[in-house]
Amino acid sequence: MKNIIAALAIVAATPAMAQDKMTLLLDWFVNPDHGPIIIAEENGYFADEGLEVEVVAPADPSAPPRLVAAGQADLAVSYQPQLHLQIHEGLPLKRVGTLVATPLNCLLVLKDGPIQELSDLKGKKIGFSVAGVEEAVLQAMLGEHGVTPNDIEMINVNFSLSPSLMSGQVDAVIGAFRNFELNQMEIEGVEGRCFYVEEEGVPSYDELIYVANPDRMDADKIARFLAATEKATQYIVNNPEKSWEIFAATSTELQDELNARAWVDTLPRFALRPAGFDAGRYARFEAFLKDSGMIDSLNPVEAIAIDVTAQ
């Protein structure tokens, strides 16, 4: 009996096992796109998986994938279209999970403006924020309507997409997120209209993904991270209003009409199975980039994406 009591005393005195630490770099400041990550933290799902996740918003939105490739973080939130190009540039990266499973990108115009059809963009100005994939996207969208790259003027408006459109600096913008810019414009009293990329000749893709360095990653930790965010996504879908309250309570900057509207519009786009992926979707987008002249060769799907839970 004394031995049992002594053993129990030792167990009681033993500190809880330390959580495994992970660093996740976001693609931008915290916003409704990151709902499952924040809810997983706030509801204790990361802790339940034995994880302590440090979530970092980047000073430079283009830096996170490169920092992960360099081994300075475990995961980064990034974009499927950019991942294809980054791998061809030689960066050691792979998609290991999905956050937002549908395109958010759209070509945005004024609802009552002069652009009613894509063919109306001939001779017009299109604003953009990030060069690269957007060129292939525009080529695919406009080519079906008789507009060539030589027929338009591309203007870098940095991240002032909707302001440059509303001010008349440009006639359209590419790279606008349908869950944000449309709402932002409506709140400011100017209605916009989206031409959706997946309806205009661009293969559907995962907008937001988690990327890791395959040579450095801890597949078990990542699998647990994805299990936690899957549970968080289920909670969001089952409890949309309560989950918004939890999310918004984490920062006063989130407590406004734009974020509340974006939350509702983003909710059905979260990946219900963040670990799972459609191999054909990645193969099709790789082929699309090659056909567009953005890349010179085709990588196999296994060089682009992986299901860490199957390892």
Side-chain angles (χ1 to χ4, degrees):
M1 185 67 177
K2 289 182 179 179
N3 289 339
I4 294 175
I5 293 174
L8 291 174
I10 292 172
V11 170
T14 302
M17 290 184 64
Q19 304 282 76
D20 289 328
K21 294 185 177 181
M22 293 184 71
T23 301
L24 168 68
L25 303 179
L26 300 180
D27 57 308
W28 198 237
F29 52 84
V30 175
N31 63 72
D33 291 342
H34 308 127
I37 299 167
I38 304 304
I39 295 299
E41 175 62 32
E42 295 300 308
N43 282 11
Y45 301 147
F46 285 143
D48 291 344
E49 292 291 339
L51 297 174
E52 180 182 331
V53 181
E54 181 185 8
V55 178
V56 181
D60 176 1
S62 68
R66 299 183 186 281
L67 292 173
V68 167
Q72 296 182 34
D74 298 288
L75 289 173
V77 174
S78 191
Y79 311 87
Q80 182 191 334
Q82 277 73 16
L83 174 65
H84 290 262
L85 298 183
Q86 289 161 349
I87 292 173
H88 279 276
E89 291 171 7
L91 288 183
L93 293 170
K94 276 189 183 180
R95 170 266 176 216
V96 293
T98 304
L99 174 55
V100 174
T102 74
L104 294 176
N105 190 4
C106 75
L107 192 150
L108 181 63
V109 300
L110 298 176
K111 184 175 182 180
D112 297 323
I115 311 300
Q116 292 299 308
E117 304 291 340
L118 289 178
S119 57
D120 295 332
L121 282 167
K122 183 172 287 190
K124 298 295 194 279
K125 299 176 181 178
I126 300 179
F128 69 96
S129 291
V130 182
V133 175
E134 304 296 22
E135 298 170 19
V137 169
L138 273 178
Q139 182 177 316
M141 295 180 74
L142 299 181
E144 296 291 320
H145 298 269
V147 182
T148 71
N150 293 330
D151 293 327
I152 57 174
E153 181 182 354
M154 297 293 293
I155 298 177
N156 189 337
V157 297
N158 294 314
F159 290 96
S160 296
L161 290 170
S162 52
S164 67
L165 177 61
M166 290 188 287
S167 68
Q169 180 185 353
V170 295
D171 302 287
V173 292
I174 188 69
F177 273 12
R178 62 194 70 172
N179 55 339
F180 276 92
E181 271 79 10
L182 276 178
N183 285 311
Q184 183 180 23
M185 290 179 67
E186 188 173 326
I187 289 169
E188 296 186 25
V190 181
E191 286 202 63
R193 175 192 175 192
C194 265
F195 290 95
Y196 301 114
V197 298
E198 69 274 23
E199 295 179 1
E200 298 290 346
V202 179
S204 193
Y205 57 86
D206 297 335
E207 189 69 63
L208 292 178
I209 57 175
Y210 301 106
V211 298
N213 182 328
D215 300 322
R216 297 172 177 263
M217 71 180 187
D218 184 324
D220 174 66
K221 283 202 295 187
I222 293 173
R224 284 185 277 146
F225 171 91
L226 295 174
T229 56
E230 179 173 339
K231 190 173 182 179
T233 303
Q234 292 168 348
Y235 181 86
I236 291 169
V237 171
N238 291 337
N239 306 276
E241 294 181 5
K242 179 60 177 176
S243 59
W244 161 247
E245 292 173 5
I246 295 170
F247 177 81
T250 62
S251 171
T252 55
E253 295 178 356
L254 296 172
Q255 299 165 17
D256 60 18
E257 184 180 0
L258 175 57
N259 281 289
R261 287 188 180 203
W263 180 267
V264 173
D265 288 348
T266 310
L267 189 150
R269 301 182 179 278
F270 291 133
L272 296 175
R273 298 168 52 248
F277 76 101
D278 179 346
R281 168 176 283 200
Y282 282 76
R284 286 189 294 273
F285 205 86
E286 182 81 355
F288 164 72
L289 291 175
K290 186 173 185 297
D291 292 342
S292 301
M294 299 296 296
I295 56 178
D296 296 326
S297 60
L298 293 175
N299 280 325
V301 170
E302 56 267 27
I304 306 168
I306 187 174
D307 177 357
V308 293
T309 66
Q311 302 306 300

